[in-house]
Structures are given as structure tokens and as C-alpha cells.
Amino acid sequence: MFNRLLAVVFILVGLALGGGGLWLLTLGGSPFYLISGLAYIVTGALLWQGLVAALWFYALVIVATLAWALWEVGFDWWALAPRGDLVVALGILLVLPWAAGRVAPSSAQLRGAWTALGGVIVVAVAVALVAMFIPSHDLSGTLPERPAQLAADAGTIPDGEWHSYGRTSYGDRYSPLNQLTPDNVGKLQVAWEFHTGDIRGDADPGESTYEVTPLKIGDTIYLCTPHDFVIALDAETGTEKWRFDPKIAQPPKDQTQHLTCRGVSYADGAGATAAPASADCVQRLFLPTVDGRLIALSAAKGTICPGFGGDDGTVDLWANMPNVLAGSYYSTSPPVVTPQFIIVGGAVNDNVSTTEPSGVIRAFDINTGALAWNWDSRNPDATAPIGPGQTYTENSPNSWSVSSYDPKLNLIFVPMGNQPPDQFGGNRDANVEKFSSAIVALHADTGKVAWVFQGVHHDLWDMDVPAQPSLVDLSINGTTVPALVGATKQGELFVLNRETGVPVLPVTEDPAPQGAVAGDLTAPTQPHSALSFKPDDLTEASMWGLSPFDQLMCRIAFKSLRYEGRYTPPSEQGSIIYPGNFGTLNWGGVAVDPERQVVFAMPVYLAFTSKLVPRPQDQSRVITKDGTAAFNENFGAPFAAEMGAFLSPLGLPCQTPPWGYVAAADLTTGKIAYKHVNGTVRDLSPIPMPFKLGVPGIGGPIVTKGGLAFLSGTLDYFVRAYDLMTGKQLWESRLPAGGQATPMSYWSDASQRQFLLVVAGGHGSTGTKAGDGVIAYALPKS
């Protein structure tokens, strides 16, 4: 009876693989699945008859499958697994004594078949074991040692403090503290833990996230929460000092894409020629809110600073905006602080309509809140403050991320997004084409453009410049170059002269795939940097699954969609976009060590799909339902867009892991020193499994003078420490929720210790667990 049941299993497997294999073959894919499907059917038929030939034949099937798998992917364990798991599992069942049916167990012929099949299974398992210990995706190496060369503004911020989102206005995410080292970081333990009480709720949009990097000034930690509370904590104990509630008018969840706060900004007016109206506000915090306000607070007391925009300490960011609709404009990132101004960008809703608010960048007097200048990328020359009753241009490219500031050059460096809709650009004007997906240097006192460098031409992929540019002085051939490191979603790290915008490391224009939808175009070339973490092109052999069945479906999907490499245009057929709009690098950016002149990053590799759906020229919906958020409907454009991660029927990425790394490179040469698989699927699989597949992440790293890098952004719930020079993981600690925020490090005089501070609150769009934790680590008290 057993052999008959097993025979049915083989035949059903063969029919499934053979049918799918025939479909794949008609698409121009591999013939192997059709052939293997027929082989399973033959095995089943022989087994049904109780013939010992079933064992001999299936041994050949395993040998052929093993040879094909090694030919396609080599000794890559995770790539071999779906090619070999089913064939070996069925072989083990077939070699059981009951499977031979009517053949006598004492038969010499049967013993020979058992021996052959068993031997082949042993070989297959041995190959798998060997593959498990071959690091086929790691690049090992060591960063160069070189004499110290600090960033130009390093001396203006006390070593033990963290005054801006990236520690300083240079945005390098570098701490000059060195108490923690590769030798002692393994002794880190929780020093204190604080819970904000602000947790994602049913009224919040799906992409409610906790992305804050706290500040540390004096003996106080300052942070904001997704609902824009500002909280001050004692840096040594985590005890709450004060809390400010802005009482936001939260927009409806179906009109708001993001609910987050990446940080507050700090200004110290001590010694300034002009002073704020209140003595309590010499040291101030500036909070951007989800309902379109900019609020000034006393850093000492958490009270409103009167005189900034009025007695309520508030500037209305909706002023002079076109197309006012709650939830369609807000600022999620901390503004730039200069001695004179507070400079604010803002996010507009992606891909809802072609009549969104403006992406204008505005500078306000740091004491009074009076508008000093405005730079609107669709009207870039008109920087004088806009007049009463006038409005900025609608739907102009915006800057939703964090800008950097060089006080010596008096330039701010603005990472720009795209004009909605992201996936169709047939109606863009000359200024949109110039400033979209670019880094723009503006004169901080006037808002006039100093230079512009575009990272993607005619962006059809949502490849905004997502991250704060990092500023560093590089020593190249004996010359000190004021440089800027621009991390991008497409994986390029553009190293530019921040004074001129001219590349320091070579940038070439490479041919790009052509053939956009009707009414649109594609750029003939796209820029490529000598320092790049761009992914290798996908192939049919890159497709993955837990079994040959879901891998086969991913192969069919791959051959059914349009894919010609990076920058494949979106299409009505459906296109694979790789890297996807999740980005190789996102708003967490990179960390730059100005002494060692190196960069540490967390590159992510996850493909998406993009399908354009023709839409009528009205407000009817074609991809969403009434009452839900209309994201990607693109009202006013000829196409809506269906987008998402490129996933198998089981909801797993269709591409073979790893999907996430830690990596580092020499900024003076562009050479990548190492690239190591990073993170486990413990929190991504139904059963917690600590397999180190290399998982995606969002959030950024920091580096320290002590030779360490820290990162908490992976989609498993850990904060980790790495040896900066080699990338080796040295320590990890379990977090209570997703850690999708960039950590920071500070010094406490009270205990003479260096602290690592991590926020664990989760990320709505990645599905990580929500929370409200703020956790500080330090060495044990001596």
C-alpha cells in the first residue's frame, strides 16, 4: 500500500512540475522543470508497478538534478536548497524498506538499488553540507589605516554630545568617542530603558513608523515620537524631565502616507548678535509636525518660545501652499539650523495626483520665524519671500529627507525627490527634469542655487535621493578636497566636491534600457559612480523559493515581466524594478569616518514590480477602492501604478538571498573593502529560525573613533556592533520591537561612560513589530 501512495505523490509532483515547466518553456525559460516533471511521473509509474527500476531511475534523477543545480548556482547553499530539498526528501521516502512493494527485501537486485539510491542521497546531502560552509556571497577584506584627519566642524561640537540628526551639520554619523572598542564591546549591557507611551494605533496610517535619532546636549536626551511628542530624558538614568504635546490635528489615515518624526533640531543662541524673545529660549528645539507646523521650544523647560512666528511659537508651513488638503504635506525630518535661519523642507504624498502641494524649501529667521527666502524647484530663481496672496508652484519636486550644512562655505546640501507621479514623466517641465532626484547646493543666506548634481535622469522608479549627504574632507594625492558623499536608492555613492558639485571619484554615463509607455520617454544614459553598491542583474537562475514549486512560479513571473537590468522602465506588461523603491540605501544613509576616510553602509537588495494601468482622465479609481487611501492612483496622469515587492506565492522574495549586507569602502579610492551578509530571518519566518540569510533593513549606521560600527535597522529585532576595519560582527542585543531608526552614541559625565542609544518602535511598511522603546547600553560601572 505504501508504494502505491508514494507513487501517487510522485505522479502529482510530476504533473505540477511538468505543467509549470511547459509554461516556463513557452516563455523561453529553462527546460529542466518540464524534463524533471516527466521524470517524476516515470518514477511514479514504475513504483506503482512495484518495480525495483523505480529506485535505479530515481537515483539518476537525483544525479541529474544535482548536476543541473551545481551548474546553475554552484556551491550556494540557499540557492541549492529549493533545487534539492524535494528531490532528496522523496528519495529518502523511496529508499525506505516498504517502498519497494512486491520486490523481496532479500533480493540482491533490490539491495543494489537501495545502495545506489542511498549513496546518491548521501552525496547530495554532503554537497549541501559543504555548501553551508562556503561563504559564497561574502567579500572579506580590511579597511586601510591612515593618519587622523577630522571633519572641519568636529571641534565645534563636544565629543560626548550629539547635536544634530547626523551628530553635526555635516551628517557623517560619526562619534569621536573611543571608550568602546572591539576588545570590550562584547561587555555592553542595558543601562536604562524608557518607554514613550506613543504606540501605533488603529487611526494611524499604515506607514506609521518610529525613525527618530535622539539628540544629546549637556546632560539631556531630546527625542520626538511618531505623534510629535517631544520628550527630554536624563542622559545617565533615562528619567523623564519634561514632555511637550503639540496636540496635532492628525489628518485622516486615508489621506496620510507617513506618520513619523526623524528628529528635532537644536539651536544655541548664546553669544548671538540677535536673541530670542524669551530668556528661556536661548537654547531651543525646533519640531516639525504632521499637521504642517514648525514649533520652537525651550530646550530647558519644553515650553513654547513666544515670538517665533507669534506668541504660540509656531510657523504655519501651509502658508502660501497650493492645493491645501490635510495629510498631503508635512515635514518628517529635522530642519537645518544655521546661525541666522531654520531651513525646512517637506514631504508631499507620492503618486496620489498631479495636483499636490509644493515641495518648496523655506528659510525662516531663527528668532522671529519671519520668512527669509524660499526656493521652489519649479520656480528656482524666485527666492525672495513670496508675497501675500501668492502661492508656490504645485507638485514641485520636494525634499522629504535631511539636508546637510557647511558653515564655512555657507551652503546647505538638499537631497531631492521626484515630482508625482514617480512612474510617469511625460508631462515634466525643464526645471522638474533638472532638479528631480538630485543633490542641490543652496546658498544658506539667499536660497540661490550654487550647483546641482542629478543622481537619476528622468526618474521613473521613485529613486529619490533619500539620505542626508555626508560631508567630509578627503586627502587625495596630497590635496585636501572638501567632499560630499551622496547615498542613493539605486546603490551609487556619489563622492562630489561639495564646493563645486564636480565628482571627486569618477562618474560615467552608462547606457540605460529604452522604451517607455506611450507619451513618456527614457533617458538614454544614467550616471554610475566608481563607488557603487549596485546589485548584480537578476537572471532566471536568480529566482528562489522554499521548494521547486514556488521557485518555478517565480521563474515564470520573471519571464513574464519586463526586465532588462537596472532602470528597466515601468510598463503596462509589468516590469521588475531592481533595486526596488525600497532602495539599496534609503533615508538612513551611510556613516562616514572622517579620520579613517572610509564609509560604512547597509546595502539592501530587494526587487519590486511596477505595472502601469491606463486610467481615465477623471477621479475614478482603477487600483484602489473608495474609502481607502488613493495612493498610486495618480489622478491627472494617464496611468495608475500597481507596485510592490517581487514575491513568491508564499510571500517570500522571488530572488535568492542574501537580501542585506554590511559593507565598507575607502572614500579616497572608491574601493570596497568588505561586504558581509547581515541579519537573520528569526523575525520574518512563521517559526523563529536564526538562519543568517542576510535580511533587508531600513535605518542607518553610526561609526565611532573606537573602531566600531553600530546598526539596528535590519528586519530582525537586534542591535549589532561590528569591527569597523573588517566588518566582523562582535556583539548583538535583542530589541523589543523593530529597530528601524539610526542609533547614536554619547558620553555621560555622571558615570564616565560612553553610551549607545537605540530606538525600537518598528516600521509600518516593513511589518516589523511596533513599540515605543528607547534603550541605552553601556559598559558596567567600574
Side-chain angles (χ1 to χ4, degrees), residues 495-736:
V495 182
L496 312 175
N497 184 312
R498 66 177 181 269
E499 190 169 8
T500 64
V502 174
V504 174
L505 295 180
V507 174
T508 58
E509 290 286 340
D510 294 348
Q514 298 297 290
V517 292
D520 205 348
L521 56 91
T522 51
T525 63
Q526 294 290 352
H528 171 61
S529 174
L531 175 49
S532 177
F533 292 116
K534 73 181 183 71
D536 294 332
D537 286 348
L538 297 174
T539 65
E540 185 194 327
S542 305
M543 297 301 100
W544 189 68
L546 290 182
S547 71
F549 303 111
D550 50 324
Q551 186 191 49
L552 174 57
M553 295 307 297
C554 284
R555 285 179 180 254
I556 291 170
F558 177 81
K559 299 300 288 189
S560 301
L561 295 165
R562 181 179 177 186
Y563 180 68
E564 298 159 33
R566 199 166 56 147
Y567 303 115
T568 298
S571 64
E572 293 183 65
Q573 169 189 351
S575 298
I576 296 174
I577 309 302
Y578 186 53
N581 59 350
F582 198 74
T584 300
L585 301 164
N586 208 295
W587 54 261
V590 296
V592 169
D593 186 327
E595 294 192 39
R596 298 176 177 92
Q597 313 225 309
V598 299
V599 60
F600 182 89
M602 180 185 64
V604 169
Y605 300 103
L606 197 62
F608 274 58
T609 60
S610 180
K611 182 178 181 180
L612 298 183
V613 180
R615 61 164 303 108
Q617 295 300 312
D618 57 28
Q619 297 297 300
S620 61
R621 299 192 182 210
V622 299
I623 62 169
T624 62
K625 296 179 180 180
D626 289 338
T628 62
F631 302 138
N632 300 326
E633 282 288 356
N634 297 335
F635 298 124
F639 296 94
E642 291 181 345
M643 299 186 299
F646 183 28
L647 302 177
S648 75
L650 298 180
L652 297 170
C654 263
Q655 69 201 78
T656 303
W659 307 301
Y661 294 80
V662 291
D666 183 344
L667 286 171
T668 66
T669 64
K671 182 180 178 181
I672 297 174
Y674 59 78
K675 191 175 177 184
H676 298 308
V677 174
N678 185 55
T680 73
V681 294
R682 170 171 173 168
D683 298 299
L684 299 178
S685 57
I687 301 173
M689 296 182 294
F691 294 146
K692 191 175 182 180
L693 272 74
V695 296
I698 193 164
I702 65 170
V703 295
T704 72
K705 183 182 179 70
L708 296 169
F710 292 98
L711 177 66
S712 64
T714 51
L715 300 191
D716 56 350
Y717 308 159
F718 290 93
V719 55
R720 295 181 170 98
Y722 309 85
D723 185 319
L724 176 60
M725 301 306 291
T726 65
K728 179 182 177 182
Q729 182 179 314
L730 302 173
W731 168 85
E732 68 180 19
S733 180
R734 184 74 173 156
L735 298 174

Side-chain angles (χ1 to χ4, degrees), residues 19 84 220 234-235 432 451 534 551 670 688:
T220 305
D234 182 274
V432 170
W451 55 260
K534 73 181 183 71
Q551 186 191 49

